[in-house]
Amino acid sequence: MRIGVPQEAAANERRVALTPDVAGRLKKSGFEVMIERGAGTAAFFPDEAYTAAGAAVSDRNSVLQSDIMVQVQAPVPAEVPRYREGGAVVASFQPGGDPALVRQLAQHRLTAFSLVLLPRITRAQPMDVLSSQATVAGYKAVLLAASAIGKLFPMLVTAAGTLPAARVLILGAGVAGLQAIATARRLGAIVFAFDVRPAVKEQVQSLGASFLEMAIDEHAETAGGYAKELSEETHRKELAFLAGAVKDADIVIATAAIPGKKAPVLITAAAVQGMKPGSVIVDLAAETGGNCELTQAGAEIVRNGVAILGPLNLASTVPLHASQMYAKNVSAFLAHIVQDGRLRLDFEDQIIRETCVTHAGEVRKS
Ligand code: NAD
């Protein structure tokens, strides 16, 4: 059974779905692996490293004809007919984001899996691309803020005077938020965090940050551990509470999300007006609408002296480690779906059922 790894088609995508190390391990476990020439270059993995690991390096047409294509982003619609009819593809995409593409994958009888649909259950953790890539994004968000702000993070006592530590506020303490807390602390900032799920308070404190408490009368967490959308009244209370909190912050890293929904607005335009000039907001929710009312996806704007960054695909800007973790996730997933050299499509299995987007000509997730 041959695994194919294409060069990612999107201009802002520097990751590659398999690293030489993981390709070598797959080869040892009985797969053939074929990489498109140059596919790993932007992530600093040269073709020679793949060849040394036992993978074949070839042109795009040959790679696309593999039994299982593994990639970071979804196939490009124009290229779907070039994939092996009846083959499989493993990628990371929201099927609802492009229904026409999903229909096309089904028509070409591809068995397509999306790793962003994995259930957040313990046995799926080694395959969890949302967590691995959010870890990278949370870390990088703090570095973006650190280079945009006109201050140093740590408190410094010098002959030229004493500098107070920067105050960083993290909104949403999920995987990205917790990594942002840890990174900001390592740089010496005083860190505060807020989340609607009270369960995260201890995790926030164990990383050396203070948890901002707001009395919430409703249960804001689903049985699966995710946040729920708040009632209008609680959301209004939250906006007022956060308008006060952001006034004291030098940096706000916003990571709040609700699976499958638009991101909640947590910082209004009026709240931005109350912030100090020179402050920085990094809005990791830019892709799904933004946690700040003023965020522009993919852009950096300044309002009343406050810089608002809405970066997209941050994980791709740390391509080596992001690819390394992604490749490990993919290989754990392959071990789950392939048995004795054949695709194991047991739809009783929660992992297979929830990640399979198309199979046997049918759309299963839209
Ligand atoms: P996410 O990206 O869906 O959301 C980020 C954070 O935003 C969450 O902490 C959420 O509570 C918060 N949030 C949502 N609405 C908010 C609001 N109005 N105000 C403030 N904060 C708000 O979350 P995630 O990082 O994907 O993690 C979600 C959960 O899944 C966490 O409990 C995490 O520990 C858990 N998880 C479990 C596994 C597993 O395998 N068991 C793996 C990964 C994550």
Side-chain angles (χ1 to χ4, degrees), residues 120-121 125 128 131 173-175 195-197 225-227 238 255-257:
R120 305 304 270 285
I121 54 176
Q125 270 181 358
D128 186 353
S131 290
V175 179
D195 198 297
V196 283
R197 291 183 299 124
Y226 282 111
E238 182 184 20
T255 75

Side-chain angles (χ1 to χ4, degrees), residues 6 8 10 52 60 74 85 139 163 179 189 213 225 272 279:
E8 292 295 319
R60 192 167 184 86
E85 192 164 1
Y139 163 87
L163 310 176
Q179 193 54 234
E213 308 253 10
V272 172
S279 315

Side-chain angles (χ1 to χ4, degrees), residues 132-142 176 179-180 253 284 313-315 318:
S132 69
Q133 306 305 296
T135 298
V136 178
Y139 163 87
K140 188 65 186 274
V142 175
Q179 193 54 234
I253 311 277
L284 283 192
N313 199 8
L314 258 194
V318 192

Side-chain angles (χ1 to χ4, degrees), residues 119-125 128 130-131 134 171-178 194-197 200 203 220-221 224-230 235 238 242 255-259 264-266 291:
R120 305 304 270 285
I121 54 176
T122 307
R123 70 193 174 94
Q125 270 181 358
D128 186 353
L130 282 183
S131 290
L171 301 180
V175 179
L178 291 172
F194 174 73
D195 198 297
V196 283
R197 291 183 299 124
V200 299
Q203 296 169 35
E221 188 164 342
Y226 282 111
K228 282 202 279 209
E229 247 175 330
L230 299 175
H235 186 223
E238 182 184 20
L242 291 179
T255 75
I258 298 180
V265 171
L266 306 183
N291 288 151

